[in-house]
Amino acid sequence: TMSELIQLQSSLSRIFREALPVSTSLESPQAIKTLQKINQELDGISSTPPTASIAQVVAAYRRSQKVASFHDLKYVCYGAAIRTQDGWCVLGDDQLRDKLLADVERIDESRRRIKCFQALLSSYFAFARYDEQTPKAAQVGWETLRDWLARQRAQFQRDGANKKLRLPGWFTVLTKHENLLTNKPCDRYGADMLRDDSSSVEEARQGLGIPSDSWVMEETILSQMKAAVALGDDPFKTHLDPLLKLVLGQTEMKVSDLLKRRAIALLISRYARCVGKPEQPALRDAAVAVIGNPWLKRTTWDAWVKIASEQPDDEAREMVNGWLTRQLITDFFELLSADGQADQRRLNYWLRFVPVIEGTPWLALGPDAMRNNSQPYRDLRKRAKGRLLRLENPGASSNNAFIMKMGEWLIVEFGMTGNACYVYPATPMPFSLGGVAISLHDLKDRSRGDWLRHKDGLNSWESTFDQAICSKVGYHPQGVVPPRVVQHIANNDSHNFSYVEQYVKKFSLRTENNRVTGGAFWVLTQMGKHPEVDRNLESWGFKYKENRGWWKQ
């Protein structure tokens, strides 16, 4: 109306008077900058109304399921993603969400419809997508909104092309970044971000008013991870350290726990597929801290760390578990030695057995190691969480114990020199490992098991230990079962198939015994997935069938 035009003219005059000195011409840089600011206010993305006002209107909408005016409708659009204390939000309420979207579609005036579209776009970007407290219904509602926004954007673009609608400037940015309204919203930014080029995502963020704490920023981090895992082994490895720092929040970017798990799972699974994969302490500690110990939290681990077929990534799990075991053994013989000096011979000896150690070893720490609050000791106790015991009656306060399970045997080593190594049958359990403490006396019970001394004689103590231990636990330095055990298995009686079951169990492989009905004994696996298993099963007379596994009559 004429009165509105007069009011607009008066407002613009006031803005110029306040923003520019009297002597400034309209061609000056300052005047041009002010005009650009005005244009942005008139044609750019609008600022979000006050949160308190939005919350009041949304609460009223929840109660009455009605809006009193266009003003209230727009505010509900801005507040569609806001969760109340009981977890409710408009997006998670099927009835109200669908009603809201339908009401927006029915708006006759295109300018107002664009305003509500913009408000809903703001809710879309503000949604707490990576908050684990966000209800599933709200997540589904957010996806429904995403698809609705994509359809409406396409319709607006068609109307704009036909001159039926004047589109605001920010709409051009949205069209350029229409990927944000797909199920892979930020994948296109990944390769650029790996090159430290954030110009594209910044263009979208600035042009669409995306807040710095939006899920878009986190999703962009994930896009870098996806771009990195698509690279070859060597390029991927060069990006590993900076990506770990990024996802662990060691930069200015804030990362949610949910995104951390997704990102670490991608990195650890990709590293497991590398041809050369030496231990990566930073990746190991990040995986254990963010996802959990792969042995103690197997269900959680398998739910996150998967291969392309969505099956658990057994290779990645075994790789990290082996790393963790190696580190605990190293810590024990270097950090926890009573005299503070690494017992290199014992360390090197037990590191050989990592492939046949089941799960994470137990650590029983004496008073000194339990009380020591230096960083190495804190890291050790954190890594051993779930397998950490207090050593009672340790003798010397600096004494500690290390307990390994190999097959059907438990092996106990002590930190202080002069203590024997004890070897116990695991069935029945010679002592309880399920509590918070264990006594030194229980770990040194000669009536329940054998004991070996670290003393050289005609042969080295390592040779003596090998003769006593290797055949029992199925270990050979080259990674194959000793010939004597191979021949024992080849005899083909039920006890020997039990041994095969026990052997493949540590690789998380399933077996199927159809021999009672005249069938074969099967180890269900794919050739090449576990070369050691393939090697041993073939040497034991098993034959391989494609897409099923190894079998023997």
Side-chain angles (χ1 to χ4, degrees), residues 136-167:
K136 177 67 175 177
Q139 296 277 3
V140 173
W142 174 83
E143 293 173 4
T144 300
L145 174 62
R146 177 193 67 199
D147 297 341
W148 182 90
L149 289 169
R151 292 193 301 271
Q152 291 297 306
R153 189 211 63 79
Q155 183 61 53
F156 285 146
Q157 189 174 15
R158 287 192 293 270
D159 291 345
N162 296 330
K163 309 298 184 182
K164 296 180 179 179
L165 180 65
R166 179 187 177 278
L167 297 171

PDB file of all heavy atoms in Angstrom, residues 136-167:
ATOM      1  N   LYS A 136      13.932 -41.498  18.174  1.00  0.00           N
ATOM      2  CA  LYS A 136      13.903 -42.057  16.823  1.00  0.00           C
ATOM      3  C   LYS A 136      12.803 -41.419  15.990  1.00  0.00           C
ATOM      4  O   LYS A 136      12.988 -41.149  14.790  1.00  0.00           O
ATOM      5  CB  LYS A 136      13.690 -43.576  16.911  1.00  0.00           C
ATOM      6  CG  LYS A 136      13.579 -44.273  15.571  1.00  0.00           C
ATOM      7  CD  LYS A 136      14.880 -44.226  14.799  1.00  0.00           C
ATOM      8  CE  LYS A 136      14.782 -45.037  13.514  1.00  0.00           C
ATOM      9  NZ  LYS A 136      16.023 -44.937  12.708  1.00  0.00           N
ATOM     10  N   ALA A 137      11.648 -41.150  16.625  1.00  0.00           N
ATOM     11  CA  ALA A 137      10.533 -40.545  15.891  1.00  0.00           C
ATOM     12  C   ALA A 137      10.925 -39.180  15.328  1.00  0.00           C
ATOM     13  O   ALA A 137      10.526 -38.811  14.213  1.00  0.00           O
ATOM     14  CB  ALA A 137       9.310 -40.413  16.803  1.00  0.00           C
ATOM     15  N   ALA A 138      11.702 -38.428  16.090  1.00  0.00           N
ATOM     16  CA  ALA A 138      12.147 -37.116  15.623  1.00  0.00           C
ATOM     17  C   ALA A 138      13.129 -37.262  14.464  1.00  0.00           C
ATOM     18  O   ALA A 138      13.113 -36.465  13.513  1.00  0.00           O
ATOM     19  CB  ALA A 138      12.780 -36.337  16.769  1.00  0.00           C
ATOM     20  N   GLN A 139      13.993 -38.274  14.527  1.00  0.00           N
ATOM     21  CA  GLN A 139      14.924 -38.524  13.425  1.00  0.00           C
ATOM     22  C   GLN A 139      14.161 -38.831  12.142  1.00  0.00           C
ATOM     23  O   GLN A 139      14.497 -38.323  11.058  1.00  0.00           O
ATOM     24  CB  GLN A 139      15.852 -39.706  13.768  1.00  0.00           C
ATOM     25  CG  GLN A 139      16.777 -39.465  14.945  1.00  0.00           C
ATOM     26  CD  GLN A 139      18.044 -38.714  14.555  1.00  0.00           C
ATOM     27  OE1 GLN A 139      18.213 -38.312  13.411  1.00  0.00           O
ATOM     28  NE2 GLN A 139      18.926 -38.504  15.521  1.00  0.00           N
ATOM     29  N   VAL A 140      13.121 -39.665  12.262  1.00  0.00           N
ATOM     30  CA  VAL A 140      12.299 -40.004  11.090  1.00  0.00           C
ATOM     31  C   VAL A 140      11.588 -38.758  10.570  1.00  0.00           C
ATOM     32  O   VAL A 140      11.494 -38.529   9.364  1.00  0.00           O
ATOM     33  CB  VAL A 140      11.278 -41.108  11.459  1.00  0.00           C
ATOM     34  CG1 VAL A 140      10.306 -41.349  10.305  1.00  0.00           C
ATOM     35  CG2 VAL A 140      11.999 -42.399  11.820  1.00  0.00           C
ATOM     36  N   GLY A 141      11.077 -37.921  11.510  1.00  0.00           N
ATOM     37  CA  GLY A 141      10.412 -36.688  11.121  1.00  0.00           C
ATOM     38  C   GLY A 141      11.348 -35.726  10.413  1.00  0.00           C
ATOM     39  O   GLY A 141      10.947 -35.028   9.466  1.00  0.00           O
ATOM     40  N   TRP A 142      12.594 -35.695  10.852  1.00  0.00           N
ATOM     41  CA  TRP A 142      13.602 -34.850  10.203  1.00  0.00           C
ATOM     42  C   TRP A 142      13.827 -35.311   8.763  1.00  0.00           C
ATOM     43  O   TRP A 142      13.953 -34.481   7.847  1.00  0.00           O
ATOM     44  CB  TRP A 142      14.901 -34.897  11.000  1.00  0.00           C
ATOM     45  CG  TRP A 142      16.040 -34.179  10.357  1.00  0.00           C
ATOM     46  CD1 TRP A 142      16.314 -32.835  10.420  1.00  0.00           C
ATOM     47  CD2 TRP A 142      17.077 -34.751   9.544  1.00  0.00           C
ATOM     48  NE1 TRP A 142      17.436 -32.540   9.692  1.00  0.00           N
ATOM     49  CE2 TRP A 142      17.930 -33.693   9.148  1.00  0.00           C
ATOM     50  CE3 TRP A 142      17.348 -36.040   9.113  1.00  0.00           C
ATOM     51  CZ2 TRP A 142      19.039 -33.908   8.346  1.00  0.00           C
ATOM     52  CZ3 TRP A 142      18.464 -36.258   8.317  1.00  0.00           C
ATOM     53  CH2 TRP A 142      19.297 -35.202   7.946  1.00  0.00           C
ATOM     54  N   GLU A 143      13.868 -36.605   8.533  1.00  0.00           N
ATOM     55  CA  GLU A 143      14.033 -37.130   7.178  1.00  0.00           C
ATOM     56  C   GLU A 143      12.820 -36.782   6.307  1.00  0.00           C
ATOM     57  O   GLU A 143      12.958 -36.469   5.115  1.00  0.00           O
ATOM     58  CB  GLU A 143      14.246 -38.645   7.219  1.00  0.00           C
ATOM     59  CG  GLU A 143      15.569 -39.057   7.864  1.00  0.00           C
ATOM     60  CD  GLU A 143      15.694 -40.557   8.040  1.00  0.00           C
ATOM     61  OE1 GLU A 143      14.772 -41.287   7.585  1.00  0.00           O
ATOM     62  OE2 GLU A 143      16.693 -41.008   8.630  1.00  0.00           O
ATOM     63  N   THR A 144      11.628 -36.838   6.929  1.00  0.00           N
ATOM     64  CA  THR A 144      10.416 -36.449   6.200  1.00  0.00           C
ATOM     65  C   THR A 144      10.489 -34.979   5.797  1.00  0.00           C
ATOM     66  O   THR A 144      10.145 -34.609   4.667  1.00  0.00           O
ATOM     67  CB  THR A 144       9.170 -36.684   7.084  1.00  0.00           C
ATOM     68  OG1 THR A 144       9.089 -38.065   7.437  1.00  0.00           O
ATOM     69  CG2 THR A 144       7.889 -36.272   6.355  1.00  0.00           C
ATOM     70  N   LEU A 145      10.948 -34.128   6.718  1.00  0.00           N
ATOM     71  CA  LEU A 145      11.109 -32.710   6.405  1.00  0.00           C
ATOM     72  C   LEU A 145      12.130 -32.512   5.295  1.00  0.00           C
ATOM     73  O   LEU A 145      11.924 -31.685   4.386  1.00  0.00           O
ATOM     74  CB  LEU A 145      11.537 -31.951   7.665  1.00  0.00           C
ATOM     75  CG  LEU A 145      11.898 -30.467   7.460  1.00  0.00           C
ATOM     76  CD1 LEU A 145      10.687 -29.691   6.943  1.00  0.00           C
ATOM     77  CD2 LEU A 145      12.432 -29.857   8.756  1.00  0.00           C
ATOM     78  N   ARG A 146      13.227 -33.256   5.338  1.00  0.00           N
ATOM     79  CA  ARG A 146      14.261 -33.145   4.298  1.00  0.00           C
ATOM     80  C   ARG A 146      13.675 -33.417   2.919  1.00  0.00           C
ATOM     81  O   ARG A 146      13.900 -32.647   1.971  1.00  0.00           O
ATOM     82  CB  ARG A 146      15.387 -34.143   4.592  1.00  0.00           C
ATOM     83  CG  ARG A 146      16.493 -34.166   3.534  1.00  0.00           C
ATOM     84  CD  ARG A 146      17.377 -35.379   3.731  1.00  0.00           C
ATOM     85  NE  ARG A 146      16.635 -36.612   3.452  1.00  0.00           N
ATOM     86  CZ  ARG A 146      17.007 -37.815   3.880  1.00  0.00           C
ATOM     87  NH1 ARG A 146      18.089 -37.957   4.637  1.00  0.00           N
ATOM     88  NH2 ARG A 146      16.284 -38.879   3.577  1.00  0.00           N
ATOM     89  N   ASP A 147      12.904 -34.494   2.790  1.00  0.00           N
ATOM     90  CA  ASP A 147      12.317 -34.840   1.496  1.00  0.00           C
ATOM     91  C   ASP A 147      11.292 -33.785   1.060  1.00  0.00           C
ATOM     92  O   ASP A 147      11.190 -33.454  -0.127  1.00  0.00           O
ATOM     93  CB  ASP A 147      11.666 -36.224   1.576  1.00  0.00           C
ATOM     94  CG  ASP A 147      12.682 -37.328   1.863  1.00  0.00           C
ATOM     95  OD1 ASP A 147      13.891 -37.097   1.648  1.00  0.00           O
ATOM     96  OD2 ASP A 147      12.271 -38.406   2.324  1.00  0.00           O
ATOM     97  N   TRP A 148      10.536 -33.252   2.016  1.00  0.00           N
ATOM     98  CA  TRP A 148       9.550 -32.210   1.697  1.00  0.00           C
ATOM     99  C   TRP A 148      10.253 -30.948   1.203  1.00  0.00           C
ATOM    100  O   TRP A 148       9.830 -30.339   0.216  1.00  0.00           O
ATOM    101  CB  TRP A 148       8.717 -31.915   2.946  1.00  0.00           C
ATOM    102  CG  TRP A 148       7.633 -30.894   2.743  1.00  0.00           C
ATOM    103  CD1 TRP A 148       6.346 -31.134   2.353  1.00  0.00           C
ATOM    104  CD2 TRP A 148       7.736 -29.475   2.941  1.00  0.00           C
ATOM    105  NE1 TRP A 148       5.637 -29.956   2.286  1.00  0.00           N
ATOM    106  CE2 TRP A 148       6.469 -28.916   2.636  1.00  0.00           C
ATOM    107  CE3 TRP A 148       8.762 -28.627   3.333  1.00  0.00           C
ATOM    108  CZ2 TRP A 148       6.221 -27.544   2.718  1.00  0.00           C
ATOM    109  CZ3 TRP A 148       8.516 -27.258   3.415  1.00  0.00           C
ATOM    110  CH2 TRP A 148       7.265 -26.731   3.117  1.00  0.00           C
ATOM    111  N   LEU A 149      11.331 -30.558   1.896  1.00  0.00           N
ATOM    112  CA  LEU A 149      12.079 -29.379   1.475  1.00  0.00           C
ATOM    113  C   LEU A 149      12.653 -29.557   0.073  1.00  0.00           C
ATOM    114  O   LEU A 149      12.670 -28.616  -0.729  1.00  0.00           O
ATOM    115  CB  LEU A 149      13.217 -29.094   2.465  1.00  0.00           C
ATOM    116  CG  LEU A 149      12.803 -28.567   3.842  1.00  0.00           C
ATOM    117  CD1 LEU A 149      14.005 -28.606   4.790  1.00  0.00           C
ATOM    118  CD2 LEU A 149      12.238 -27.153   3.752  1.00  0.00           C
ATOM    119  N   ALA A 150      13.126 -30.756  -0.235  1.00  0.00           N
ATOM    120  CA  ALA A 150      13.689 -31.022  -1.570  1.00  0.00           C
ATOM    121  C   ALA A 150      12.614 -30.864  -2.641  1.00  0.00           C
ATOM    122  O   ALA A 150      12.864 -30.277  -3.710  1.00  0.00           O
ATOM    123  CB  ALA A 150      14.297 -32.417  -1.609  1.00  0.00           C
ATOM    124  N   ARG A 151      11.420 -31.375  -2.392  1.00  0.00           N
ATOM    125  CA  ARG A 151      10.330 -31.256  -3.369  1.00  0.00           C
ATOM    126  C   ARG A 151       9.894 -29.798  -3.534  1.00  0.00           C
ATOM    127  O   ARG A 151       9.677 -29.323  -4.651  1.00  0.00           O
ATOM    128  CB  ARG A 151       9.134 -32.111  -2.941  1.00  0.00           C
ATOM    129  CG  ARG A 151       9.381 -33.613  -2.995  1.00  0.00           C
ATOM    130  CD  ARG A 151       8.082 -34.388  -2.881  1.00  0.00           C
ATOM    131  NE  ARG A 151       7.369 -34.094  -1.646  1.00  0.00           N
ATOM    132  CZ  ARG A 151       7.548 -34.741  -0.499  1.00  0.00           C
ATOM    133  NH1 ARG A 151       8.451 -35.723  -0.432  1.00  0.00           N
ATOM    134  NH2 ARG A 151       6.856 -34.432   0.575  1.00  0.00           N
ATOM    135  N   GLN A 152       9.774 -29.083  -2.409  1.00  0.00           N
ATOM    136  CA  GLN A 152       9.356 -27.695  -2.476  1.00  0.00           C
ATOM    137  C   GLN A 152      10.409 -26.837  -3.184  1.00  0.00           C
ATOM    138  O   GLN A 152      10.070 -25.927  -3.948  1.00  0.00           O
ATOM    139  CB  GLN A 152       9.113 -27.163  -1.064  1.00  0.00           C
ATOM    140  CG  GLN A 152       7.892 -27.763  -0.371  1.00  0.00           C
ATOM    141  CD  GLN A 152       6.594 -27.422  -1.095  1.00  0.00           C
ATOM    142  OE1 GLN A 152       6.305 -26.251  -1.337  1.00  0.00           O
ATOM    143  NE2 GLN A 152       5.824 -28.446  -1.425  1.00  0.00           N
ATOM    144  N   ARG A 153      11.670 -27.114  -2.926  1.00  0.00           N
ATOM    145  CA  ARG A 153      12.737 -26.352  -3.589  1.00  0.00           C
ATOM    146  C   ARG A 153      12.654 -26.506  -5.096  1.00  0.00           C
ATOM    147  O   ARG A 153      12.773 -25.523  -5.853  1.00  0.00           O
ATOM    148  CB  ARG A 153      14.111 -26.824  -3.097  1.00  0.00           C
ATOM    149  CG  ARG A 153      15.275 -25.948  -3.562  1.00  0.00           C
ATOM    150  CD  ARG A 153      16.555 -26.751  -3.745  1.00  0.00           C
ATOM    151  NE  ARG A 153      16.425 -27.753  -4.782  1.00  0.00           N
ATOM    152  CZ  ARG A 153      16.507 -27.484  -6.091  1.00  0.00           C
ATOM    153  NH1 ARG A 153      16.706 -26.251  -6.515  1.00  0.00           N
ATOM    154  NH2 ARG A 153      16.370 -28.453  -6.980  1.00  0.00           N
ATOM    155  N   ALA A 154      12.425 -27.755  -5.536  1.00  0.00           N
ATOM    156  CA  ALA A 154      12.311 -28.003  -6.975  1.00  0.00           C
ATOM    157  C   ALA A 154      11.107 -27.258  -7.558  1.00  0.00           C
ATOM    158  O   ALA A 154      11.181 -26.708  -8.670  1.00  0.00           O
ATOM    159  CB  ALA A 154      12.199 -29.505  -7.233  1.00  0.00           C
ATOM    160  N   GLN A 155       9.995 -27.228  -6.831  1.00  0.00           N
ATOM    161  CA  GLN A 155       8.803 -26.536  -7.312  1.00  0.00           C
ATOM    162  C   GLN A 155       9.031 -25.023  -7.377  1.00  0.00           C
ATOM    163  O   GLN A 155       8.649 -24.362  -8.349  1.00  0.00           O
ATOM    164  CB  GLN A 155       7.610 -26.847  -6.396  1.00  0.00           C
ATOM    165  CG  GLN A 155       6.292 -26.225  -6.867  1.00  0.00           C
ATOM    166  CD  GLN A 155       5.879 -26.728  -8.235  1.00  0.00           C
ATOM    167  OE1 GLN A 155       5.802 -27.934  -8.478  1.00  0.00           O
ATOM    168  NE2 GLN A 155       5.642 -25.805  -9.175  1.00  0.00           N
ATOM    169  N   PHE A 156       9.669 -24.482  -6.331  1.00  0.00           N
ATOM    170  CA  PHE A 156       9.988 -23.049  -6.341  1.00  0.00           C
ATOM    171  C   PHE A 156      10.880 -22.692  -7.534  1.00  0.00           C
ATOM    172  O   PHE A 156      10.708 -21.652  -8.173  1.00  0.00           O
ATOM    173  CB  PHE A 156      10.693 -22.643  -5.040  1.00  0.00           C
ATOM    174  CG  PHE A 156       9.779 -22.556  -3.853  1.00  0.00           C
ATOM    175  CD1 PHE A 156      10.232 -22.906  -2.588  1.00  0.00           C
ATOM    176  CD2 PHE A 156       8.471 -22.114  -3.971  1.00  0.00           C
ATOM    177  CE1 PHE A 156       9.411 -22.817  -1.478  1.00  0.00           C
ATOM    178  CE2 PHE A 156       7.630 -22.016  -2.870  1.00  0.00           C
ATOM    179  CZ  PHE A 156       8.100 -22.376  -1.625  1.00  0.00           C
ATOM    180  N   GLN A 157      11.835 -23.567  -7.823  1.00  0.00           N
ATOM    181  CA  GLN A 157      12.750 -23.300  -8.929  1.00  0.00           C
ATOM    182  C   GLN A 157      11.995 -23.290 -10.257  1.00  0.00           C
ATOM    183  O   GLN A 157      12.250 -22.439 -11.124  1.00  0.00           O
ATOM    184  CB  GLN A 157      13.867 -24.346  -8.955  1.00  0.00           C
ATOM    185  CG  GLN A 157      14.979 -24.034  -9.939  1.00  0.00           C
ATOM    186  CD  GLN A 157      16.145 -25.006  -9.833  1.00  0.00           C
ATOM    187  OE1 GLN A 157      16.026 -26.074  -9.230  1.00  0.00           O
ATOM    188  NE2 GLN A 157      17.278 -24.639 -10.398  1.00  0.00           N
ATOM    189  N   ARG A 158      11.061 -24.214 -10.418  1.00  0.00           N
ATOM    190  CA  ARG A 158      10.261 -24.238 -11.651  1.00  0.00           C
ATOM    191  C   ARG A 158       9.407 -22.974 -11.771  1.00  0.00           C
ATOM    192  O   ARG A 158       9.302 -22.369 -12.838  1.00  0.00           O
ATOM    193  CB  ARG A 158       9.367 -25.484 -11.671  1.00  0.00           C
ATOM    194  CG  ARG A 158      10.128 -26.787 -11.934  1.00  0.00           C
ATOM    195  CD  ARG A 158       9.187 -27.931 -12.225  1.00  0.00           C
ATOM    196  NE  ARG A 158       8.389 -28.305 -11.063  1.00  0.00           N
ATOM    197  CZ  ARG A 158       8.760 -29.222 -10.161  1.00  0.00           C
ATOM    198  NH1 ARG A 158       9.933 -29.843 -10.292  1.00  0.00           N
ATOM    199  NH2 ARG A 158       7.983 -29.524  -9.142  1.00  0.00           N
ATOM    200  N   ASP A 159       8.790 -22.590 -10.635  1.00  0.00           N
ATOM    201  CA  ASP A 159       7.970 -21.378 -10.644  1.00  0.00           C
ATOM    202  C   ASP A 159       8.811 -20.142 -10.950  1.00  0.00           C
ATOM    203  O   ASP A 159       8.363 -19.216 -11.641  1.00  0.00           O
ATOM    204  CB  ASP A 159       7.265 -21.205  -9.294  1.00  0.00           C
ATOM    205  CG  ASP A 159       6.186 -22.263  -9.065  1.00  0.00           C
ATOM    206  OD1 ASP A 159       5.796 -22.923 -10.049  1.00  0.00           O
ATOM    207  OD2 ASP A 159       5.748 -22.427  -7.910  1.00  0.00           O
ATOM    208  N   GLY A 160      10.046 -20.133 -10.424  1.00  0.00           N
ATOM    209  CA  GLY A 160      10.926 -19.003 -10.702  1.00  0.00           C
ATOM    210  C   GLY A 160      11.308 -18.940 -12.164  1.00  0.00           C
ATOM    211  O   GLY A 160      11.382 -17.849 -12.758  1.00  0.00           O
ATOM    212  N   ALA A 161      11.564 -20.111 -12.766  1.00  0.00           N
ATOM    213  CA  ALA A 161      11.934 -20.155 -14.182  1.00  0.00           C
ATOM    214  C   ALA A 161      10.786 -19.692 -15.067  1.00  0.00           C
ATOM    215  O   ALA A 161      10.996 -19.115 -16.140  1.00  0.00           O
ATOM    216  CB  ALA A 161      12.364 -21.568 -14.565  1.00  0.00           C
ATOM    217  N   ASN A 162       9.544 -19.925 -14.636  1.00  0.00           N
ATOM    218  CA  ASN A 162       8.360 -19.529 -15.396  1.00  0.00           C
ATOM    219  C   ASN A 162       7.885 -18.129 -15.052  1.00  0.00           C
ATOM    220  O   ASN A 162       6.778 -17.728 -15.442  1.00  0.00           O
ATOM    221  CB  ASN A 162       7.225 -20.532 -15.139  1.00  0.00           C
ATOM    222  CG  ASN A 162       7.558 -21.921 -15.646  1.00  0.00           C
ATOM    223  OD1 ASN A 162       8.297 -22.062 -16.614  1.00  0.00           O
ATOM    224  ND2 ASN A 162       7.019 -22.945 -14.981  1.00  0.00           N
ATOM    225  N   LYS A 163       8.701 -17.407 -14.285  1.00  0.00           N
ATOM    226  CA  LYS A 163       8.384 -16.024 -13.896  1.00  0.00           C
ATOM    227  C   LYS A 163       7.134 -15.922 -13.013  1.00  0.00           C
ATOM    228  O   LYS A 163       6.548 -14.846 -12.885  1.00  0.00           O
ATOM    229  CB  LYS A 163       8.177 -15.133 -15.136  1.00  0.00           C
ATOM    230  CG  LYS A 163       9.293 -15.201 -16.163  1.00  0.00           C
ATOM    231  CD  LYS A 163      10.615 -14.715 -15.588  1.00  0.00           C
ATOM    232  CE  LYS A 163      11.714 -14.707 -16.664  1.00  0.00           C
ATOM    233  NZ  LYS A 163      13.020 -14.289 -16.137  1.00  0.00           N
ATOM    234  N   LYS A 164       6.745 -17.048 -12.397  1.00  0.00           N
ATOM    235  CA  LYS A 164       5.591 -17.012 -11.509  1.00  0.00           C
ATOM    236  C   LYS A 164       5.968 -16.587 -10.096  1.00  0.00           C
ATOM    237  O   LYS A 164       5.102 -16.289  -9.281  1.00  0.00           O
ATOM    238  CB  LYS A 164       4.935 -18.407 -11.439  1.00  0.00           C
ATOM    239  CG  LYS A 164       4.349 -18.896 -12.741  1.00  0.00           C
ATOM    240  CD  LYS A 164       3.740 -20.279 -12.545  1.00  0.00           C
ATOM    241  CE  LYS A 164       3.123 -20.804 -13.839  1.00  0.00           C
ATOM    242  NZ  LYS A 164       2.548 -22.165 -13.643  1.00  0.00           N
ATOM    243  N   LEU A 165       7.288 -16.596  -9.810  1.00  0.00           N
ATOM    244  CA  LEU A 165       7.748 -16.347  -8.445  1.00  0.00           C
ATOM    245  C   LEU A 165       9.101 -15.660  -8.482  1.00  0.00           C
ATOM    246  O   LEU A 165       9.994 -16.049  -9.256  1.00  0.00           O
ATOM    247  CB  LEU A 165       7.856 -17.683  -7.693  1.00  0.00           C
ATOM    248  CG  LEU A 165       8.329 -17.659  -6.250  1.00  0.00           C
ATOM    249  CD1 LEU A 165       7.319 -16.914  -5.369  1.00  0.00           C
ATOM    250  CD2 LEU A 165       8.512 -19.088  -5.722  1.00  0.00           C
ATOM    251  N   ARG A 166       9.245 -14.603  -7.660  1.00  0.00           N
ATOM    252  CA  ARG A 166      10.545 -13.960  -7.523  1.00  0.00           C
ATOM    253  C   ARG A 166      11.286 -14.630  -6.377  1.00  0.00           C
ATOM    254  O   ARG A 166      10.838 -14.588  -5.231  1.00  0.00           O
ATOM    255  CB  ARG A 166      10.394 -12.464  -7.242  1.00  0.00           C
ATOM    256  CG  ARG A 166      11.741 -11.764  -7.066  1.00  0.00           C
ATOM    257  CD  ARG A 166      11.553 -10.323  -6.633  1.00  0.00           C
ATOM    258  NE  ARG A 166      12.843  -9.676  -6.393  1.00  0.00           N
ATOM    259  CZ  ARG A 166      13.535  -9.794  -5.265  1.00  0.00           C
ATOM    260  NH1 ARG A 166      13.077 -10.519  -4.261  1.00  0.00           N
ATOM    261  NH2 ARG A 166      14.690  -9.166  -5.143  1.00  0.00           N
ATOM    262  N   LEU A 167      12.390 -15.242  -6.695  1.00  0.00           N
ATOM    263  CA  LEU A 167      13.132 -15.999  -5.695  1.00  0.00           C
ATOM    264  C   LEU A 167      14.165 -15.112  -5.011  1.00  0.00           C
ATOM    265  O   LEU A 167      14.853 -14.326  -5.685  1.00  0.00           O
ATOM    266  CB  LEU A 167      13.827 -17.195  -6.343  1.00  0.00           C
ATOM    267  CG  LEU A 167      12.885 -18.241  -6.959  1.00  0.00           C
ATOM    268  CD1 LEU A 167      13.681 -19.254  -7.768  1.00  0.00           C
ATOM    269  CD2 LEU A 167      12.070 -18.940  -5.872  1.00  0.00           C
TER     270      LEU A 167
END
